[in-house]
Amino acid sequence: MRTSVTSPALFLREHAVLVVAAVAAAASALAVPPDEAYLGYFDWKTLGCLFCVLAVASALRLMGAFDRAARAVIARFRSPGPLALALVLTTAALSCVATNDMALIMMLPLSAATLIGAGHARLVAPVFVLQSLAANLCGMIMPFGNPQNLYLYSYYGLHLGDFLRTMALPFALSTAGVVACTWWLCGHSDCNGSRSDTRKLAAPMPLSRRRLVAYGLLLALTLLAVFRIVPIAAAVVIVAAALAALDRRALVAVDWGLLATFACFFVFAGNMARVPEVSAWLSPLMADHGLWASAGLSQIISNVPAAVLLSHFTGAWQPLLIGVNIGGAGTLVGSLASLITLQHFTSVRKVFPQIAALPELSTSRFLVLFSVLNFAFLAILLIACGAAPLF
């Protein structure tokens, strides 16, 4: 009886975004009853590319490749400033190849264990906030760094060169800002002269060279599919078949909830595009204030659904692309990855009760630091990108 009561609550807590997306899709269906046009809502290329990226990244994570690479970087640094910078930049690098969500899921627990084991527990809050910013903003430089990028890259049929040129300025400003803030907040931390000792971490699992080569080939195939060199349908079949033979756990570990959430967003956005009142409001708004509208809407409904919805009302992809990416900063809702950071921070306080009493690690101070830094980044990026002749 107890299980039947707690299981729905657990599902809602772990899949809150999917539930909200499903409710929004169902509500939109009341305004636009289901018909044959629904089949045209789904961007199958985006869903296929996202599946391949998530599946290969899951396989590499499960075999310990990302963990070993992160430890190799961290082990080179001892003092708190360089160690914090290594953790933040490693998160940024992983977000470029494994999406921002997965980068945080991999790096946050490792960062907490490393900092606490090294005597730098007071740095957990600022490092977590900076890792969230790095994952959301530094991953914007690659089409597969953030889920909304993968969608917009496919939806508008973009070329890699155009994408990189458009995102170069916000990426450069974001990376410089993240590095500067990390050094400012962590570079002069007084941690009683303690040094990092990565030996306190659990030993990494051994790597299988055969699987590493195989997964490397699958990753290359995935990139070719993202860049439309290889048909996405072929990539999906090959990735699924290969992982079914090599490690079925990788297929189980795929974030199927994210794929289902995207499907719900497609239904919601497709229906909203067919409502005359919504089109009459959003089309001129995107034409005149695309950057600010996309960043602002991201603060309310998150940047992924904002990208899917607003893409139906504009052909000017540059302001939309930049807006939903820098809109990942700001509120906790701006990017769903930020909610992952908050969840891991509260978990750290429970797993390591000896640090929960530190005033610097209170949830309220974490939220204040998160809000101050995120809104500062959002304001600077909006002003800089709005003033630059990017589009």
Side-chain angles (χ1 to χ4, degrees), residues 62-194:
L62 289 174
M63 76 172 297
F66 291 137
D67 181 73
R68 184 178 288 269
R71 289 168 186 264
V73 173
I74 295 166
R76 295 177 177 271
F77 302 96
R78 296 184 178 275
S79 57
L83 177 60
L85 191 59
L87 292 169
V88 172
L89 292 183
T90 301
T91 304
L94 287 176
S95 70
C96 292
V97 297
T99 74
N100 53 351
D101 294 30
M102 186 164 291
L104 290 172
I105 291 172
M106 290 185 291
M107 285 300 300
L108 292 176
L110 179 61
S111 299
T114 300
L115 292 170
I116 294 171
H120 307 324
R122 287 179 171 82
L123 295 183
V124 170
V127 167
F128 269 35
V129 171
L130 291 162
Q131 284 180 299
S132 179
L133 281 168
N136 287 328
L137 298 179
C138 297
M140 72 168 71
I141 193 61
M142 298 305 296
F144 40 82
N146 296 324
Q148 71 272 9
N149 285 1
L150 197 59
Y151 166 72
L152 294 174
Y153 190 86
S154 172
Y155 183 84
Y156 288 106
L158 305 181
H159 296 290
L160 181 59
D162 294 333
F163 182 96
L164 294 176
R165 281 190 293 271
T166 300
M167 302 309 297
L169 176 62
F171 168 75
L173 292 174
S174 299
T175 303
V178 165
V179 171
C181 288
T182 303
W183 198 254
W184 173 51
L185 291 172
C186 308
H188 306 288
S189 176
D190 180 12
C191 296
N192 300 321
S194 60

Side-chain angles (χ1 to χ4, degrees), residues 263-290:
C264 292
F265 287 154
F266 288 147
V267 172
F268 172 74
N271 283 336
M272 289 297 97
R274 296 171 64 184
V275 176
E277 294 79 6
V278 175
S279 181
W281 174 56
L282 286 180
S283 294
L285 183 64
M286 288 300 296
D288 298 332
H289 309 286

